[in-house]
């Protein structure tokens, strides 16, 4: 082993595109019949689906049970060929740890890669996100020859950081983030190393969930291994190896063809974050998508500098992984999800930016940074595809997270530390011809769900008071976004439970609309300590709130010490009977709200999707408030007045910009921004403080 191995490998993380075809793979291509290849692809897809479902059934953490899983089959060189996933960025980023294993351990006698081995990894530098995202991969051999890898990656709810729940909001460096493991062998001869598992358990607030999640990944991978070897026995090893490679070749060629059909141009969408951990602040992700010929280039020049001593940084490979969420789910939706798609994509990142971090800086809240980027990716993509395929131009799904964090002992005396599953309850974005879906899921994990509340309550010290649609969460427009979920929870059966949350969009909207559609309102948290809710439920004398709208109504009988928190709420103790209220936002709106069918507005009002204020002041509908009967003539007249008023306040672009550029946020908000308004023209990247490196 060379001393260089002990440092981060900056070369291997650059290898996101497929590796060169090997002579063996090339020789096999001519013998693969088209019909056999189609059957092979179907079989492999079914194997990965079985692996994903098995992982869900056996895992313990919230994300694993909810389906936030990337399960894939990788070539012997480490390229992702086949995957079944609810979470595309883990799928494409899962190849980096495997390529690390091939590069460093395959021919290293002190470690080696053998039949029956298993490898664990969660180092954010190789996984691209943060330490709570963990993976496991196994090599698959046939007659002593390495033919592929099988791996599963998913967020496990706790990684032993200085704050619980997998998200360390006050992390100053990676040393606050808990367990960080580059690819390490955790099993040999089809047996897990109990000494290593015991070490992992000692580093974790919830060892039960972590160890069960590792075993779930491994069990699913072993099932996939058996299925793969059955195919190899039937079709031959050359056919198998050659077909895995052909999937990548076919995908990359199709991706370039699809890109070539788009109009050449530059599509821009600058994005801003309003929270730096739990501190208010402003930073910029400056995204331009450049389309030329059969290639797309993601240019992030002009983004804010890296933030030493703060958790809001991200490695560049994580940004590419989140771009793949859009590519796999929306733009290349009709192509296989694998890293062959990246043959059509280039990227350009500024040095020392917070979206291209280096050194020991923290990336604990990298998911928030990546979400901010993703909104820009969705909006650029919608503009890019509109002229050729307007049906694929979707307003963004909710992209602010909104995820409760908790840690402590459950009602059975067992340690627990995790997030609740409501992050998967965001609203879908509106489209060119219909509204977004209510509680569509998480944009980054569209096949996942929120799980049943009863399942969460069985081993978590939480009682759900309500969980349903939140009417105040939609983005308005000609077509409105879908509603997100609103939750009300009470600490139950235990003396106390530490609770907090993470997300973004606390001060201004995180999820924007499209083509004139409205943004999604910022979300927030309400905590009531010393609540009388438990007594109210026991007495059963007064109507209790059934949703968040009623929670915030003056008639709500709940009393206690009420506090409102930003969506990034620092974890703190709540006691038995204290209540916690939060919403996950809806989807962005599409098109001008005054073009919406007035009858659709009244239906939304009837079923609680919008408020009366929105009907009157955003959609400008005139109606009988008691009967909800439309006054069509008055509505047309009112909307015409709105159009005329808009014309009167219109200004020439140059005149508007002359005044606009005189404005700037307060200095204390822009301390992490860089030079305002162009970050790259002033402040150098902030060095890490001595305290952050100790």
């Amino acid at each position: 082993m060379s001393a260089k191995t002990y440092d981060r490998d900056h070369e291997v993380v650059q290898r996101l595109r497929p590796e060169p075809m090997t002579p063996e793979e090339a020789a096999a291509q001519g013998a693969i019949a088209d019909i056999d290849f189609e059957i092979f692809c179907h079989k492999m897809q079914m194997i990965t689906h079985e692996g994903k479902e098995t992982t869900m059934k056996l895992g313990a953490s919230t994300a694993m049970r909810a389906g936030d899983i990337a399960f894939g089959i990788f070539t012997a060189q480490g390229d992702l060929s086949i995957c079944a996933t609810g979470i595309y960025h883990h799928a494409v980023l899962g190849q980096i740890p495997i390529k690390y294993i091939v590069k460093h351990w395959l021919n290293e006698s002190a470690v080696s890669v053998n039949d029956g081995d298993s490898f664990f990894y969660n180092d954010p530098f190789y996984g691209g996100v943060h330490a709570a995202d963990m993976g496991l991969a196994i090599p698959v051999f046939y007659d002593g020859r390495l033919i592929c890898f099988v791996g599963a990656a998913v967020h496990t709810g706790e990684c032993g950081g200085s704050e619980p729940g997998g998200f360390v909001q006050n992390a100053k460096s990676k040393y606050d983030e808990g367990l960080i493991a580059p690819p390490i062998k955790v099993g040999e001869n089809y047996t897990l190393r109990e000494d290593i598992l015991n070490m992992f358990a000692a580093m974790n607030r919830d060892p039960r969930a972590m160890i069960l999640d590792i075993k779930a990944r491994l069990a699913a991978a072993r099932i996939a291994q058996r299925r793969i070897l059955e195919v190899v026995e039937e079709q031959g090893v050359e056919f198998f190896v050659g077909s895995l490679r052909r999937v990548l070749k076919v995908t990359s060629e199709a991706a370039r063809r699809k890109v070539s059909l788009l109009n050449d141009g530059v599509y821009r969408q600058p994005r801003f974050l309003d929270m730096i951990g739990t501190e208010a602040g402003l930073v910029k992700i400056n995204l331009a998508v450049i389309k030329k010929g059969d290639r797309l280039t993601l240019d992030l020049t002009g983004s804010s500098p890296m933030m030493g001593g703060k958790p809001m940084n991200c490695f560049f490979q994580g940004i590419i992984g989140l771009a793949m969420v859009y590519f796999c789910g929306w733009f290349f939706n009709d192509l296989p999800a694998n890293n062959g798609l990246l043959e059509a994509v280039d990227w350009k990142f500024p040095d020392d930016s917070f979206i291209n971090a280096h050194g020991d800086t923290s990336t604990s809240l990298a998911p928030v940074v990546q979400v901010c980027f993703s909104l820009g990716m969705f909006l650029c993509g919608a503009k890019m595809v509109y002229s050729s395929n307007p049906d694929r131009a979707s307003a963004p799904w909710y992209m602010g997270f909104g995820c409760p964090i908790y840690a402590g002992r459950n009602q059975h005396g067992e340690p627990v530390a995790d997030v609740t599953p409501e992050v998967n309850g965001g609203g879908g974005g509106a489209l060119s011809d219909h509204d977004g879906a209510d509680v569509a899921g998480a944009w980054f994990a569209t096949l996942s769900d929120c799980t049943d509340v009863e399942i969460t309550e069985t081993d978590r010290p939480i009682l759900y008071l309500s969980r349903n649609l939140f009417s105040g969460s939609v983005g308005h427009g000609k077509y409105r976004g879908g509603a997100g979920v609103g939750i009300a929870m009470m600490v139950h059966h235990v003396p106390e439970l530490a609770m907090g949350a993470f997300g973004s969009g606390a001060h201004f909207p995180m999820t924007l609309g499209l083509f004139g559609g409205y943004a999604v309102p910022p979300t927030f948290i309400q905590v009531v300590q010393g609540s009388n809710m438990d007594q109210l439920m026991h007495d059963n004398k007064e109507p209790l709130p059934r949703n968040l709208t009623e929670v915030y109504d003056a008639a709500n009988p709940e009393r206690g010490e009420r506090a409102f928190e930003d969506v990034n709420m620092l974890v703190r103790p709540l006691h038995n009977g204290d209540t916690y209220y939060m919403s996950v936002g809806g989807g962005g709106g599409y098109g001008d709200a005054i073009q919406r069918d007035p009858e659709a507005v009244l239906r939304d009002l009837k079923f609680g999707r919008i408020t009366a204020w929105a009907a009157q002041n955003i959609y400008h509908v005139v109606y009988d408030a008691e009967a909800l009967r439309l006054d069509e003539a008055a509505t047309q007249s009112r909307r015409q007045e709105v159009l005329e008023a808009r014309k009167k306040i219109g200004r020439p672009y140059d005149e508007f910009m002359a005044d606009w550029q005189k404005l700037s946020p307060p200095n204390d908000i822009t301390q992490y921004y860089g030079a305002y308004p162009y970050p790259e023209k002033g402040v150098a990247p902030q060095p890490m403080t001595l305290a952050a490196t100790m």
Side-chain angles (χ1 to χ4, degrees):
M1 177 183 291
S2 66
K4 187 177 180 180
T5 304
Y6 296 119
D7 198 2
R8 283 175 167 164
D9 185 340
H10 291 272
E11 185 274 334
V12 78
V13 298
Q14 299 287 340
R15 289 158 53 182
L16 289 164
R17 300 186 185 90
E19 299 294 310
M21 186 179 292
T22 67
E24 293 82 2
E25 291 170 336
Q29 298 305 308
I32 302 172
D34 289 345
I35 185 63
D36 291 334
F37 178 67
E38 291 296 324
I39 295 171
F40 168 85
C41 291
H42 179 74
K43 285 183 177 180
M44 292 299 105
Q45 197 68 67
M46 291 302 100
I47 290 170
T48 56
H49 278 300
E50 183 182 19
K52 174 178 177 285
E53 293 297 318
T54 302
T55 310
M56 288 177 60
K57 297 297 187 294
L58 297 180
S61 64
T62 293
M64 192 168 283
R65 294 192 295 191
D68 293 6
I69 298 164
F71 191 94
I73 300 172
F74 303 79
T75 69
Q77 295 172 278
D79 291 311
L80 174 67
S81 183
I82 311 287
C83 80
T85 179
I87 191 157
Y88 289 113
H89 58 282
H90 284 327
V92 73
L93 294 174
Q95 65 184 315
I96 298 176
I98 296 177
K99 290 183 178 181
Y100 181 100
I101 293 167
V102 172
K103 178 178 178 179
H104 291 285
W105 304 144
L106 187 62
N107 298 310
E108 170 56 61
S109 60
V111 182
S112 69
V113 178
N114 304 302
D115 192 17
D117 287 347
S118 49
F119 293 85
F120 172 89
Y121 38 84
N122 81 317
D123 188 334
F125 186 71
Y126 302 109
V129 189
H130 66 155
D133 290 323
M134 304 180 185
L136 183 138
I138 64 169
V140 178
F141 286 80
Y142 183 78
D143 283 345
R145 175 183 175 183
L146 176 64
I147 60 172
C148 70
F149 286 86
V150 176
V154 61
H155 175 100
T156 287
E158 168 63 20
C159 55
S162 58
E163 297 168 22
F167 299 87
V168 184
Q169 299 188 11
N170 285 316
K172 295 179 173 59
S173 73
K174 73 174 187 179
Y175 305 110
D176 291 316
E177 297 178 8
L179 171 66
I180 295 179
I184 179 175
K185 186 185 289 190
V186 296
E188 298 174 299
N189 298 318
Y190 292 89
T191 304
L192 284 169
R193 290 273 303 269
E194 290 297 334
D195 56 341
I196 294 180
L197 296 187
N198 196 44
M199 178 184 70
F200 287 168
M203 297 178 176
N204 195 290
R205 292 179 181 84
D206 192 350
R208 177 191 59 157
M210 182 178 186
I211 302 306
L212 283 175
D213 280 3
I214 289 174
K215 292 181 176 180
R217 295 181 186 97
L218 179 57
R222 292 296 179 209
I223 291 173
Q225 178 186 19
R226 291 200 297 271
R227 301 283 188 258
I228 288 169
L229 292 177
E230 290 169 1
V231 173
V232 174
E233 285 284 352
E234 180 181 342
Q235 296 287 346
V237 68
E238 287 76 16
F239 173 85
F240 176 83
V241 170
S243 294
L244 275 189
R245 169 55 60 176
R246 177 172 287 194
V247 173
L248 294 168
K249 182 175 182 292
V250 169
T251 302
S252 62
E253 291 172 350
R256 290 196 298 270
R257 283 196 302 271
K258 189 161 188 175
V259 170
S260 70
L261 299 176
L262 300 173
N263 291 327
D264 285 357
V266 180
Y267 304 85
R268 304 182 188 277
Q269 188 63 55
R271 294 298 306 122
F272 301 90
L273 278 168
D274 61 3
M275 294 289 292
I276 312 301
T278 57
E279 176 185 357
L282 185 70
V283 290
K284 178 181 182 181
I285 298 177
N286 195 44
L287 173 64
V289 180
I290 304 165
K291 189 274 170 179
K292 186 174 183 180
D294 63 355
R295 304 201 68 77
L296 298 171
T297 300
L298 310 182
D299 188 349
L300 290 106
T301 304
S303 298
S304 291
M306 193 173 73
M307 291 173 275
K310 292 293 179 181
M312 301 288 288
N313 299 283
C314 175
F315 297 120
F316 88 92
Q317 53 269 35
I319 295 293
I320 300 302
L322 268 291
M324 289 295 283
V325 173
Y326 173 74
F327 288 136
C328 292
W330 275 261
F331 180 56
F332 294 126
N333 62 294
D334 52 351
L335 299 181
N338 59 57
N339 65 311
L341 299 174
L342 287 173
E343 292 280 24
V345 182
D346 297 313
W347 45 86
K348 182 179 180 182
F349 285 81
D351 293 334
D352 298 322
S353 171
F354 83 116
I355 41 102
N356 187 17
H358 63 80
D360 293 340
T361 187
S362 172
T363 59
S364 189
L365 293 185
V368 178
V369 180
Q370 293 166 358
V371 165
C372 182
F373 159 80
S374 292
L375 178 66
M377 192 70 237
F378 271 69
L379 291 172
C380 286
K383 300 168 188 174
M384 191 166 57
V385 304
Y386 181 81
S387 62
S388 58
N389 192 357
D391 291 343
R392 303 302 301 177
S394 169
W397 292 28
Y398 179 64
M399 293 192 182
F401 276 116
C403 189
I405 303 169
Y406 60 88
R409 294 269 174 178
N410 69 8
Q411 58 268 47
H412 310 298
E414 301 162 332
V416 291
D418 208 337
V419 296
T420 71
E422 282 72 35
V423 65
N424 293 333
L431 290 99
S432 62
D433 58 355
H434 64 274
D435 295 339
D438 294 329
V439 191
W443 58 272
F444 61 87
T446 51
L447 300 179
S448 59
D449 63 34
C450 291
T451 75
D452 295 330
V453 296
E454 292 82 1
I455 292 175
T456 302
E457 291 173 340
T458 56
D459 63 351
R460 303 295 195 262
I462 293 169
L463 178 69
Y464 280 89
L465 305 174
S466 65
R467 190 177 79 173
N468 42 40
L469 301 182
F470 180 38
S471 63
S473 62
V474 304
H476 303 291
K478 178 180 181 180
Y479 297 102
R480 62 161 176 81
V485 67
I487 55 173
M489 300 185 291
M490 181 171 69
V491 178
H492 194 50
H493 283 318
V494 293
E496 71 174 23
L497 182 70
M499 292 197 71
F502 83 97
S504 51
H507 300 280
F508 53 78
M510 185 64 185
T511 305
L512 305 182
L514 182 65
F515 300 147
Y518 274 58
V520 176
T523 190
F524 61 92
I525 299 166
Q526 177 183 262
V527 173
V528 183
Q529 295 184 276
S531 170
N532 65 336
M533 182 59 70
D534 193 39
Q535 188 63 45
L536 290 169
M537 295 172 66
H538 178 271
D539 295 342
N540 196 28
K541 293 179 180 178
E542 297 185 71
L544 300 181
R546 297 163 295 178
N547 52 53
L548 289 189
T549 301
E550 294 180 4
V551 165
Y552 299 120
D553 191 277
N556 180 6
E558 182 180 16
R559 299 292 179 265
E561 185 180 342
R562 196 179 309 271
F564 294 97
E565 304 279 352
D566 284 334
V567 66
N568 267 9
M569 172 184 163
L570 190 63
V571 175
R572 69 169 191 258
L574 298 183
H575 297 91
N576 189 53
D578 291 348
T579 55
Y580 178 107
Y581 303 95
M582 186 177 189
S583 67
V584 180
Y590 187 110
D592 192 340
I594 64 171
Q595 294 180 345
R596 184 165 179 79
D597 179 0
E599 293 290 356
V601 174
L602 295 183
R603 283 196 301 272
D604 285 345
L605 187 59
K606 177 180 179 181
F607 293 109
R609 295 294 186 275
I610 65 171
T611 63
W613 187 94
Q616 297 162 14
N617 296 282
I618 294 177
Y619 294 104
H620 297 285
V621 173
V622 182
Y623 61 95
D624 182 291
E626 291 187 6
L628 294 183
R629 184 176 296 112
L630 175 69
D631 186 330
E632 187 171 352
T635 296
Q636 289 180 348
S637 176
R638 173 64 184 140
R639 288 181 167 183
Q640 186 60 40
E641 291 175 3
V642 171
L643 287 174
E644 295 302 321
R646 289 179 182 176
K647 294 176 183 178
K648 291 179 180 179
I649 63 173
R651 303 170 64 188
Y653 178 77
D654 290 342
E655 179 184 323
F656 169 80
M657 288 302 298
D659 289 339
W660 179 258
Q661 290 180 336
K662 296 175 184 177
L663 304 175
S664 65
N667 290 337
D668 60 334
I669 296 299
T670 58
Q671 60 177 313
Y672 303 108
Y673 184 93
Y676 188 85
Y678 305 110
E680 73 279 14
K681 292 188 176 181
V683 179
Q686 297 182 6
M688 220 175 247
T689 63
L690 179 62
T693 60
M694 293 178 64

